[in-house]
Amino acid sequence: MKIGFIGLGNMARAIIGGMLRNGMAAAGDIIGSAKTERTRSEVESQLGIGIRESNLAVAEEAEVLVLAVKPQFLQEVIDEIKDGVKPGTLVISIAAGKTLAWLEQAFGREIKLVRCMPNTPALVGEGCTGVCVNGRVSQEETDYSVRLMESFGKASLVPESLMDVVGAVSGSSPAYVFMFIEAMADAAVAAGMPRTQAYEFAAQAVYGSAKLALESGRHPGALKDMVCSPGGTTIEGVRILEEKGMRGAVMDALLAAVEKSKKL
């Protein structure tokens, strides 16, 4: 089966890398195109996939076609390739905000469509991806799409009505987590710790906490309580975070991202 990628940026490379590592496809089964010669050459050298000079060439060959371009460029790309996409091709879009109905309208005909929302931790094999499909996608194709996204992390089927929420809670939130890591490291530096060490301690604390939450299955509130000894240092820090409105600020940020996604 020939799998094509239009767009070879970081997310496409993460998906391709996961497929190769997990044996979902061989490099010879994958083709791709990108806007610049530099990107095409880099990906060909790094991943060994087949490179095509045009998006249309990829669309014409692919049995599974991944549209890995930014939302603002998607209409232009679809206009370029829509006549070259074969009737049975499974088309997978990772563009935020572009609904299944929008995609079908852009193609101007009935087509098998999968919409996915991965996030940047996919770059290290720890992605979290929401997946939804239209009514023309078979169960076998749905299962394949989920397995493809699981090749670089976790993936789950969700109703399309929740895809904007997926984009906020997993797609946008890494930026907020990085801000949290940076803020903790800045505080450690202010207290005398060397910066490199501060980033390592802060990032590992976040990584370990997330792993504990996932693997223990315990409620985050219960895990928080485990750390908060009566009259101790942690509960004092929690008091300050509550005083400053941390929970409300995080909720407001994610809800703002949901609303922005709906307008893309």
Side-chain angles (χ1 to χ4, degrees):
M1 180 166 59
K2 191 68 73 173
I3 305 165
F5 284 79
I6 294 179
L8 293 171
N10 287 334
M11 197 57 66
R13 296 185 206 196
I15 297 172
I16 295 168
M19 293 170 67
L20 296 176
R21 283 193 305 273
N22 288 278
M24 283 203 69
D29 298 324
I30 304 172
I31 57 175
S33 60
K35 189 174 183 179
T36 68
E37 174 60 31
R38 178 179 178 181
T39 298
R40 293 193 294 267
S41 297
E42 282 181 356
V43 173
E44 184 176 28
S45 174
Q46 292 171 358
L47 299 173
I49 69 169
I51 296 297
R52 301 296 182 265
E53 295 298 316
S54 72
N55 296 333
L56 181 58
V58 173
E60 289 174 336
E61 289 185 53
E63 296 165 83
V64 175
L65 180 63
V66 182
L67 303 178
V69 297
K70 295 185 184 300
Q72 59 267 36
F73 303 128
L74 192 54
Q75 181 69 66
E76 177 185 346
V77 167
I78 292 175
D79 287 342
E80 179 186 354
I81 68 169
K82 60 184 179 182
D83 292 333
V85 176
K86 297 185 290 290
T89 299
L90 181 67
V91 178
I92 300 174
S93 169
I94 65 170
K98 299 304 184 184
T99 65
L100 294 170
W102 184 97
L103 290 161
E104 186 160 317
Q105 184 176 17
F107 275 96
R109 58 188 167 96
E110 295 184 354
I111 195 167
K112 296 179 179 181
L113 288 169
V114 180
R115 183 181 170 198
C116 298
M117 189 67 244
N119 63 357
T120 54
L123 296 170
V124 292
E126 294 292 349
C128 187
T129 305
V131 180
C132 64
V133 304
N134 73 358
R136 296 172 189 86
V137 178
S138 69
Q139 186 61 54
E140 183 180 358
E141 290 165 332
T142 298
D143 293 342
Y144 171 83
S145 300
V146 172
R147 289 200 310 275
L148 192 155
M149 296 298 138
E150 287 177 335
S151 70
F152 53 86
K154 296 182 181 296
S156 296
L157 279 172
V158 297
E160 188 176 23
S161 60
L162 292 180
M163 286 298 282
D164 293 316
V165 181
V166 170
V169 75
S170 67
S172 298
S173 61
Y176 316 144
V177 174
F178 297 142
M179 290 173 68
F180 183 55
I181 290 171
E182 187 177 32
M184 290 197 297
D186 282 346
V189 170
M193 182 177 283
R195 181 161 292 280
T196 299
Q197 193 173 40
Y199 280 132
E200 182 179 4
F201 270 79
Q204 181 62 33
V206 171
Y207 176 78
S209 300
K211 187 173 183 180
L212 179 60
L214 287 170
E215 294 188 3
S216 71
R218 300 189 66 179
H219 190 284
L223 294 173
K224 178 210 72 178
D225 289 349
M226 285 172 54
V227 191
C228 294
S229 302
T233 58
T234 305
I235 193 62
E236 184 64 16
V238 168
R239 182 185 69 80
I240 296 297
L241 291 174
E242 296 286 17
E243 183 180 281
K244 300 295 184 181
M246 176 186 175
R247 293 174 195 250
V250 171
M251 291 175 68
D252 286 348
L254 264 70
L255 291 172
V258 170
E259 292 305 311
K260 180 66 175 181
S261 179
K262 291 178 179 178
K263 297 174 182 177
L264 289 177

